[in-house]
Amino acid sequence: MFSRTRANLIIDDISFDIYENEFLVILGPGQAGKTVLLNMIAGLYPPTSGSIQYEGKEIHGVDPRISMVFQKTALLPWRTVMGNVSFGPELAGCPARQMEADARHYIDLVGLNGFEKSYPRQLSGGMKQRVGIARAYCAGPEVLIMDEPFGALDAQTRYMMEDKILEIWEKEKKTIIFVTNNIEEACYLGERVILLSKCPAKVKKIYDLSDFPRPRDNLDKEFMRIRQEISANTDLPF
């Protein structure tokens, strides 16, 4: 992605493929342009050069096959958990009975059964993030983009949410593009990890972790080895 002036170059000649049903992690230092890259994939920002392609065809703007979970949950405070999760299908004109059944399925999937009538102000940070994940899934995407969704959570809740999103992914088998600046999280979650350089972002290396067994143990020697290798190859933010 290029701005009109070279001084504001953010994404520089990045090219990679995303495979169906994989859990892809994009890792990079702070202020590397990760969110800009995600917003382009999601159709929220148009690239000033190059293209985003889906199944070989260039896409322009927001595509209903792609849904996004943001850093901030951005829940509608005047709507309940049920109302937030069903918001996408409601806008799409989904029949009420089907919309409610789908919403209940994903509310149960993220472990919030019994909180359907609760409002965001009544939920913890981790619960709000689960509502955001359920809402994204309920929109019926083929690809789910997650922009550092657990970054604001405490360590214990973050570990719990990492396990929860893996559990959901293994059940639903939708393609996930997950962005983080946390190396351990990247190694724990990803089938592949794309390491970006500092801004302007380039792909430094792609790590294939698909042969690592799950559930992964962050104290395992091989896990620590690859974490150290990625750490040594990661740019400082500035």
Side-chain angles (χ1 to χ4, degrees):
M1 176 179 180
F2 295 88
S3 69
R4 296 188 184 277
T5 63
R6 184 74 183 180
N8 292 324
L9 179 65
I10 300 172
I11 305 295
D12 187 11
D13 194 26
I14 282 183
S15 179
F16 57 85
D17 293 323
I18 301 165
Y19 306 134
E20 185 178 8
N21 299 335
E22 81 165 327
F23 200 124
L24 176 72
V25 174
I26 298 175
L27 171 69
Q31 308 301 314
K34 302 184 297 297
T35 295
V36 171
L37 178 59
L38 281 196
N39 284 333
M40 288 194 295
I41 296 172
L44 302 177
Y45 293 169
T48 51
S49 66
S51 65
I52 309 294
Q53 297 190 8
Y54 194 111
E55 295 181 339
K57 296 181 179 179
E58 187 171 351
I59 57 175
H60 301 277
V62 176
D63 190 302
R65 296 171 296 180
I66 302 172
S67 191
M68 190 162 181
V69 177
F70 298 92
Q71 290 179 4
K72 296 183 179 179
T73 53
L75 300 181
L76 302 175
W78 61 89
R79 296 183 70 121
T80 63
V81 168
M82 173 63 74
N84 271 283
V85 173
S86 62
F87 186 60
E90 181 180 324
L91 289 180
C94 180
R97 184 174 296 180
Q98 183 62 51
M99 178 177 66
E100 182 175 346
D102 290 346
R104 288 189 181 280
H105 168 72
Y106 289 110
I107 289 170
D108 182 62
L109 195 64
V110 299
L112 289 178
N113 187 28
F115 290 90
E116 292 88 349
K117 296 182 180 180
S118 298
Y119 288 89
R121 66 178 181 274
Q122 300 171 307
L123 306 177
S124 68
M127 294 169 75
K128 290 177 184 177
Q129 199 56 266
R130 281 188 270 171
V131 176
I133 293 168
R135 179 177 60 184
Y137 268 105
C138 198
E142 297 173 5
V143 177
L144 189 66
I145 297 174
M146 307 187 74
D147 185 10
E148 298 192 56
F150 310 144
L153 303 178
D154 63 84
Q156 183 175 356
T157 305
R158 184 171 190 153
Y159 293 147
M160 181 271 291
M161 288 301 300
E162 289 170 357
D163 287 336
K164 175 57 70 174
I165 197 62
L166 284 174
E167 177 188 332
I168 296 170
W169 171 70
E170 288 171 352
K171 289 179 179 178
E172 295 289 308
K173 281 299 181 186
K174 294 183 183 291
T175 304
I176 291 181
I177 306 170
F178 188 102
V179 159
T180 184
N181 58 15
N182 185 298
I183 297 171
E184 182 172 293
E185 183 171 67
C187 294
Y188 189 74
L189 295 176
E191 289 194 298
R192 287 189 302 147
V193 175
I194 296 179
L195 178 63
L196 300 183
S197 69
K198 63 183 179 181
C199 190
K202 295 177 176 286
V203 174
K204 293 197 75 176
K205 188 171 181 178
I206 299 178
Y207 296 87
D208 186 348
L209 308 183
S210 58
D211 290 337
F212 278 36
R214 297 187 187 273
R216 293 176 181 167
D217 181 357
N218 59 8
L219 297 180
D220 177 77
K221 288 184 179 180
E222 184 61 14
F223 185 98
M224 290 191 288
R225 184 198 65 76
I226 193 66
R227 183 180 63 185
Q228 179 57 37
E229 180 182 334
I230 295 175
S231 178
N233 198 23
T234 300
D235 291 342
L236 295 175
F238 303 104

